[in-house]
Amino acid sequence: PQASKVVASIREACEKCGARDGMTVSFHHSFRNGDYVTSMVMKVLVEEMGLKDLTVATTSLGSAQDLLADYIEQGKIIGVQSSGVRGRIGEVISAGKLKTPAIIRSHGGRPRAIETGELTIDISFIAASAADDYGNANGTGGKNNCGTLGYAVADSRYADHVVVVTDTLVPFPNSPAPIAAIDVDYVVVVDEIGDPKKIGTKEARVTEDPRNLMMAESCAKIIAATPYFKDGFSFQTGVGGPSLAVNRYLETYMRERGIVMGFALGGMGGNICDLMDKGLVRRLLDTQDFDTKAIEHLAAHPDKHLEISTSEYANPANKGAYVNKLDFVVLAALEVDTDFNVNVLTGSDGVLRGAPGGHPDTAAGSKCCIIVTPLVRGRMATVCKKVVTVTTPGDCVDVVVTDYGIAVNPMRRDLVACLDAAGIAHTTIEALQEKAYSLVGTPDELEWEDRVIAVLEARDGTILDVVRKIKPLQL
């Protein structure tokens, strides 16, 4: 029996958990660019305890964890397993400075790997907005709230040791508690776990750009033209600004038809919460929260939200991931090719700078997957002959919406008929690609070295694609 699991410091928790060279540690990224805990913990492990040969298995990596790039270059971190790699970490991995290839998994593929034992975590460090002294933790009850902790649930249940890191200790029992005390070894109280103001990244903000709004309106027209658009339909948008903007145009069609959305799934933003407050959405199923408005809405209306783990959300190996009940998903893309394959991981220069996230999961599970992207970005063609990296296979993509036209996957003759019946003009993906090249020219072929710097897993754990080191790479 123990009265409390609170220990004095991160180092004490690490020592009690048997931290050692060669171990795998995990984190979640619900604070996105405002995360403090990942760097805080890694600094203790590497600089204070002198550990080496570490593998970091986090839900995503970005600029908030730039410190880890130094440890990769020093050889202290030798493995990375993540759903996304951005910022300096992506650059140093692309430059071949990580000892072993990074492993990239979708939000559904990651809990599958954890639950099957393919990814074994020695210590999971879970940033929690509020926790009691026994480890019941959540993301809405503290001074720095991040919303749902759905990313961290699999880690809490399957890691060998679990340490909750919080800046708000509350009386026992803390409730609701997506992270349960029965799974937690130790609790550490620190000054600040993160900055909620930095959760809403520029990619996750609703666009006001006229071009993007035009594409968003086209998406809404397509949705309204399908037989799935009826009372109780389900819907998810990705992080990109144009896809988030679809909500405002859907409202008009919903009111015209007198229908209500049954549930919205995935990452929640303030715009979808506004639709709920207007009586147009029945339930919100949160795996993450994109902005402070959604976080506050979750805290204020727990009866209208359902916090779900990423395994419930998108694990293809369980007995019914929620993505399989999706009618529509609207997603962004870095590139789309003439086979409808989508790349959201590597830039046109071949450098890791993105994240599959739930992209391939929702594309595979939904009845209608719409990709929205401008035809060109700057001097780069977004619709191309062959994407740099396949992150979402083309047979899961149904429609591509650009500012120069709409293309429907030829395998979806039913959707072609729907658009024709609604008078929505569309063209071929090849015509869009040719138009893109006519505007910016044919892109030069990238030159690769033999070395594989990242392996991209499909949802089921098979290898979907690999990323090789660019030759030469200018950083």
Side-chain angles (χ1 to χ4, degrees):
Q2 58 187 133
S4 171
K5 298 177 184 177
V6 176
V7 295
S9 65
I10 290 173
R11 176 160 186 167
E12 182 181 350
C14 293
E15 290 172 344
K16 286 180 174 292
C17 290
R20 66 188 189 282
D21 292 343
M23 69 176 179
T24 297
V25 293
S26 77
F27 306 91
H28 70 81
H29 79 292
S30 297
F31 276 96
R32 303 178 80 85
N33 288 339
D35 170 51
Y36 296 162
V37 170
T38 305
S39 297
M40 190 186 306
V41 170
M42 292 307 298
K43 199 167 187 177
V44 171
L45 293 174
V46 173
E47 297 184 22
E48 290 188 25
M49 300 180 69
L51 301 185
K52 60 183 184 300
D53 299 335
L54 302 173
T55 293
V56 175
T58 183
T59 51
S60 197
L61 291 165
S63 59
Q65 296 85 31
D66 275 351
L67 174 66
L68 275 61
D70 296 336
Y71 298 153
I72 291 171
E73 291 182 312
Q74 295 165 16
K76 304 295 186 181
I77 294 175
I78 63 168
V80 168
Q81 301 192 30
S82 179
S83 181
V85 185
R86 296 182 174 93
R88 278 197 61 228
I89 299 173
E91 293 173 356
V92 298
I93 293 174
S94 297
K97 296 179 180 180
L98 185 67
K99 186 174 181 180
T100 60
I103 299 176
I104 310 297
R105 298 185 178 95
S106 70
H107 286 332
R110 183 177 187 272
R112 179 205 55 77
I114 292 173
E115 292 171 17
T116 59
E118 292 174 30
L119 170 54
T120 300
I121 299 166
D122 294 295
I123 310 176
S124 178
F125 297 89
I126 299 176
S129 303
D132 60 34
D133 64 0
Y134 233 50
N136 293 300
N138 61 31
T140 54
K143 62 181 181 180
N144 291 306
N145 294 327
C146 64
T148 179
L149 294 180
Y151 281 133
V153 171
D155 304 57
S156 71
R157 293 177 180 167
Y158 290 87
D160 290 347
H161 297 91
V162 176
V163 177
V164 165
V165 182
T166 187
D167 54 16
T168 304
L169 199 64
V170 298
F172 176 90
N174 185 29
S175 178
I179 306 302
I182 58 171
D183 296 317
V184 176
D185 294 284
Y186 300 104
V187 177
V188 180
V189 182
V190 298
D191 292 336
E192 303 281 344
I193 59 169
D195 183 356
K197 294 190 294 294
K198 294 184 179 179
I199 292 174
T201 61
K202 68 179 189 302
E203 294 87 0
R205 293 174 190 151
V206 177
T207 181
E208 295 298 334
D209 180 271
R211 178 178 70 167
N212 290 338
L213 292 176
M214 177 185 70
M215 292 188 291
E217 186 174 13
S218 295
C219 291
K221 288 180 180 178
I222 293 167
I223 289 171
T226 70
Y228 317 126
F229 189 65
K230 57 188 178 182
D231 191 62
F233 76 96
S234 54
F235 179 68
Q236 177 175 335
T237 56
V239 180
S243 54
L244 288 172
V246 174
N247 294 300
R248 71 170 65 178
Y249 297 103
L250 273 184
E251 179 178 351
T252 301
Y253 289 105
M254 292 165 70
R255 292 191 183 281
E256 288 176 356
R257 308 274 180 95
I259 64 175
V260 174
M261 188 187 302
F263 69 87
L265 180 65
M268 295 301 149
N271 54 350
I272 201 75
C273 296
D274 289 340
L275 281 183
M276 169 171 271
D277 292 341
K278 294 174 182 178
L280 295 174
V281 185
R282 295 192 180 105
R283 289 297 296 273
L284 302 177
L285 280 58
D286 306 47
T287 50
Q288 63 174 318
D289 293 293
F290 286 147
D291 54 41
T292 52
K293 187 171 186 178
I295 295 166
E296 291 165 359
H297 198 275
L298 169 63
H301 305 284
D303 57 318
K304 296 181 179 180
H305 290 252
L306 177 63
E307 293 189 59
I308 62 173
S309 69
T310 48
S311 185
E312 292 171 298
Y313 170 55
N315 181 351
N318 66 25
K319 297 180 180 180
Y322 290 7
V323 293
N324 296 336
K325 292 185 71 65
L326 267 179
D327 291 316
F328 304 100
V329 65
V330 181
L331 301 167
L334 294 175
E335 295 179 311
V336 185
D337 67 24
T338 50
D339 290 322
F340 286 84
N341 297 310
V342 178
N343 170 27
V344 290
L345 178 63
T346 48
S348 56
D349 55 0
V351 175
L352 296 170
R353 56 178 83 256
H359 202 290
D361 301 307
T362 52
S366 62
K367 293 185 179 72
C368 181
C369 169
I370 302 173
I371 303 297
V372 55
T373 181
L375 192 68
V376 298
R377 288 191 181 92
R379 298 297 302 169
M380 302 305 300
T382 303
V383 181
C384 57
K385 289 184 178 179
K386 183 176 174 58
V387 293
V388 174
T389 309
V390 177
T391 50
T392 298
D395 58 2
C396 298
V397 174
D398 301 308
V399 184
V400 174
V401 173
T402 75
D403 47 339
Y404 280 83
I406 297 165
V408 182
N409 192 320
M411 294 191 296
R412 293 302 305 267
R413 301 306 305 172
D414 57 327
L415 293 180
V416 171
C418 290
L419 267 61
D420 288 343
I424 300 173
H426 56 92
T427 185
T428 64
I429 193 73
E430 290 82 6
L432 291 178
Q433 173 263 306
E434 290 169 4
K435 179 63 177 176
Y437 284 18
S438 73
L439 292 172
V440 298
T442 302
D444 295 331
E445 292 286 334
L446 294 174
E447 294 187 20
W448 307 93
E449 295 184 7
D450 290 336
R451 182 176 177 184
V452 173
I453 56 96
V455 174
L456 182 68
E457 284 192 2
R459 302 176 68 220
D460 62 359
T462 57
I463 295 177
L464 179 63
D465 207 343
V466 298
V467 183
R468 299 182 188 276
K469 183 181 176 184
I470 288 290
K471 179 179 66 175
L473 184 65
Q474 300 295 328
L475 294 181

